[in-house]
Amino acid sequence: GAVVSQHPSRVICKSGTSVKIECRSLDFQATTMFWYRQFPKQSLMLMATSNEGSKATYEQGVEKDKFLINHASLTLSTLTVTSAHPEDSSFYICSARDPLAGVDTGELFFGEGSRLTVL
Amino acid sequence: LAKTTQPISMDSYEGQEVNITCSHNNIATNDYITWYQQFPSQGPRFIIQGYKTKVTNEVASLFIPADRKSSTLSLPRVSLSDTAVYYCLVGSSGTYKYIFGTGTRLKVLA
């Protein structure tokens, strides 16, 4: 099946620095990817929709200048947490759909997640 | 976007069958129902998907009544490794913007 990979799986940074997380679709081209964040014991919260070649669409309450999303190719989307603070510490997950995966049923493929810890 | 409602948590014992029901009262005609499993510190993993009636694969069965306003994920003979959070999502082609509900935290006991 389709594979989505994230990197890094874990990152620790100092407060005030920026961190980039990559999301790659390994065996398919993804025109659209989604970014979620998840706090401990909570559900996934959709942050933004990443569109190849155009600006990302952010969910209400998500700061677009804080969470920069770039989807420069059909296999790569990046999330940059700018000027990170301890409250940005979370588990970040990306997902993508395979537009050629047989019947288009809305199935999403998720990455392994990236745990960010801001000190 | 169809909203889903699931029990927050369930406990079961090894070897038992577990049924988790999800309500999705405002499901649209084109929507499919997809269940995902998530272990701690991992991304969700696809379990099963269906549109109506019953679907079965090597790990689970999915029961969907005729009105499609709910669905039941059935896990036969669970083991300790099935302890995870299970999410049901409703969506269709063109609507991949899923809103995750609470999910059901299943704990399998020895």
Side-chain angles (χ1 to χ4, degrees):
Chain A
V3 179
V4 174
S5 179
Q6 285 183 237
H7 178 82
S9 58
R10 289 178 177 271
V11 57
I12 300 173
C13 70
K14 293 182 179 180
S15 185
T17 60
S18 294
V19 174
K20 179 185 287 188
I21 300 170
E22 295 184 344
C23 178
R24 294 181 184 274
S25 55
L26 298 185
D27 53 1
F28 66 99
Q29 294 183 331
T31 55
T32 304
M33 292 184 176
F34 301 89
W35 286 95
Y36 299 82
R37 69 186 299 184
Q38 185 176 34
F39 292 109
K41 303 283 187 186
Q42 294 187 23
S43 183
L44 284 75
M45 184 192 79
L46 180 65
M47 298 175 66
T49 302
S50 173
N51 305 297
E52 189 269 334
S54 65
K55 293 183 178 180
T57 305
Y58 290 81
E59 295 301 302
Q60 189 174 10
V62 178
E63 300 176 60
K64 61 180 181 181
D65 295 328
K66 173 76 171 178
F67 299 99
L68 300 179
I69 292 173
N70 184 280
H71 195 153
S73 78
L74 287 171
T75 59
L76 175 64
S77 175
T78 60
L79 168 68
T80 301
V81 183
T82 63
S83 186
H85 291 284
E87 57 266 29
D88 299 322
S89 298
S90 188
F91 192 55
Y92 293 88
I93 307 170
C94 71
S95 69
R97 72 177 185 100
D98 181 356
L100 300 180
V103 176
D104 197 0
T105 62
E107 182 180 349
L108 282 178
F109 300 94
F110 289 85
E112 314 96 320
S114 300
R115 184 164 299 284
L116 170 63
T117 301
V118 184
L119 303 177
Chain B
L1 298 171
K3 180 181 176 181
T4 60
T5 304
Q6 305 173 229
I8 292 177
S9 65
M10 294 179 70
D11 287 347
S12 181
Y13 289 94
E14 280 191 293
Q16 290 188 333
E17 178 185 76
V18 172
N19 296 308
I20 306 174
T21 298
C22 178
S23 296
H24 27 80
N25 291 317
N26 58 339
I27 188 169
T29 302
N30 294 332
D31 285 345
Y32 281 77
I33 301 155
T34 311
W35 285 79
Y36 290 86
Q37 175 190 56
Q38 187 184 28
F39 296 112
S41 296
Q42 294 186 26
R45 188 177 71 173
F46 174 88
I47 300 174
I48 196 166
Q49 183 181 68
Y51 183 80
K52 61 180 179 180
T53 63
K54 177 183 175 182
V55 179
T56 298
N57 62 20
E58 62 275 10
V59 298
S61 294
L62 178 59
F63 299 91
I64 306 169
D67 66 5
R68 301 199 331 119
K69 294 183 183 298
S70 66
S71 59
T72 299
L73 173 72
S74 181
L75 304 173
R77 298 179 298 282
V78 293
S79 64
L80 295 175
S81 62
D82 292 317
T83 294
V85 179
Y86 293 82
Y87 294 97
C88 93
L89 297 179
V90 175
S92 63
S93 60
T95 307
Y96 293 88
K97 185 178 160 180
Y98 289 116
I99 305 300
F100 278 75
T102 61
T104 298
R105 190 174 297 274
L106 173 65
K107 185 175 183 180
V108 180
L109 306 170

